[in-house]
Amino acid sequence: MTISMGELIVMLVMGYLIGSCNFAIIYSKLFKKDDIRRHGSGNAGSTNVLRTYGKGPAAAVFLLDLLKGVIAVLIARFFYRHTDICACMAAFGAILGHNFPCYYDFKGGKGVATSFATLLVLDWRLALAAAGAFLIFVLITRYVSVGSAAGSIAAPTLAIVLRCVNGSVSLALCVYSVCVGLLCLLRHKENFKRLAKGTENKLGKKKK
């Protein structure tokens, strides 16, 4: 099946518009008459919601961030069942939207939950590798940023291995997982600086 550049752009834009619905910002504005980006790390994501507003709001934001990634991929899958490239473009668009939402001055989150959700639909093995690495490193270090970095490395590493060993991962998905991993690492650069200084907050500890 031949896919045109125009179709790829449409999928990217579709995913971006869905991803730009940042639920951390929506929750803070709708229920708290506030902006989550004014608190804690300034990040519009579920971890900052957890530290600022508590477990319930954080769980809701996390699940909705997952859902928008799933929806973007499923829409692309509906129209393009037999190729990964359109689904990957929609997925990448959703992550870009979460990170740089056009509805909220292009200042969003880091896309960890949305990235995981897209991998879950695209190839559950990659999602499992990312989740496993995330949980292991968070349990060991108590740093969400370290877990996110581990997951960002684990998923593309497995994708490359599977691509080379048995070809069970498409080239499009392999490239996608690498790009998403790199983007996630870049989005955590401030966290890495705080880790180096010893000022990064551990999970369960409120932001001062």
Side-chain angles (χ1 to χ4, degrees):
M1 182 179 181
T2 302
I3 306 296
S4 70
M5 183 59 68
E7 289 171 304
L8 294 178
I9 292 173
V10 167
M11 289 297 102
L12 182 69
V13 172
M14 177 273 293
Y16 176 78
L17 294 176
I18 293 173
S20 287
C21 297
N22 189 294
F23 293 104
I25 299 174
I26 291 171
Y27 174 84
S28 65
K29 288 182 177 290
L30 188 62
F31 294 102
K32 300 295 183 180
K33 308 303 179 185
D34 195 7
D35 190 331
I36 185 63
R37 295 170 295 181
R38 296 175 182 170
H39 300 278
S41 64
N43 183 57
S46 56
T47 300
N48 202 26
V49 171
L50 173 64
R51 291 193 178 115
T52 306
Y53 301 129
K55 295 179 181 178
V61 168
F62 179 77
L63 290 174
L64 289 168
D65 283 345
L66 289 177
L67 184 61
K68 68 184 180 184
V70 170
I71 289 173
V73 176
L74 289 181
I75 290 174
R77 286 283 195 219
F78 179 79
F79 291 104
Y80 302 95
R81 298 175 186 272
H82 305 296
T83 179
D84 278 338
I85 190 168
C86 288
C88 288
M89 289 294 284
F92 196 62
I95 297 166
L96 289 177
H98 180 85
N99 290 346
F100 313 105
C102 60
Y103 312 131
Y104 303 104
D105 302 319
F106 303 98
K107 297 177 182 177
K110 292 171 182 169
V112 175
T114 305
S115 298
F116 171 75
T118 63
L119 288 176
L120 192 62
V121 183
L122 291 166
D123 191 319
W124 64 269
R125 297 171 297 178
L126 305 186
L128 185 62
F134 174 86
L135 289 173
I136 290 170
F137 278 85
V138 169
L139 288 173
I140 293 172
T141 67
R142 305 298 294 174
Y143 289 117
V144 173
S145 55
V146 174
S148 299
S152 300
I153 295 169
T157 299
L158 179 60
I160 292 169
V161 170
L162 292 175
R163 175 71 182 173
C164 294
V165 171
N166 56 25
S168 61
V169 172
S170 68
L171 179 60
L173 182 51
C174 194
V175 172
Y176 169 76
S177 64
V178 171
C179 290
V180 170
L182 290 173
L183 178 61
C184 188
L185 290 173
L186 286 172
R187 292 291 287 168
H188 281 83
K189 63 181 181 180
E190 294 302 321
N191 300 83
F192 300 148
K193 290 179 182 178
R194 289 194 292 270
L195 282 168
K197 295 177 181 178
T199 58
E200 177 76 336
N201 272 13
K202 289 188 174 183
L203 186 66
K205 180 180 178 182
K206 286 188 175 294
K207 185 78 174 179
K208 292 182 180 180

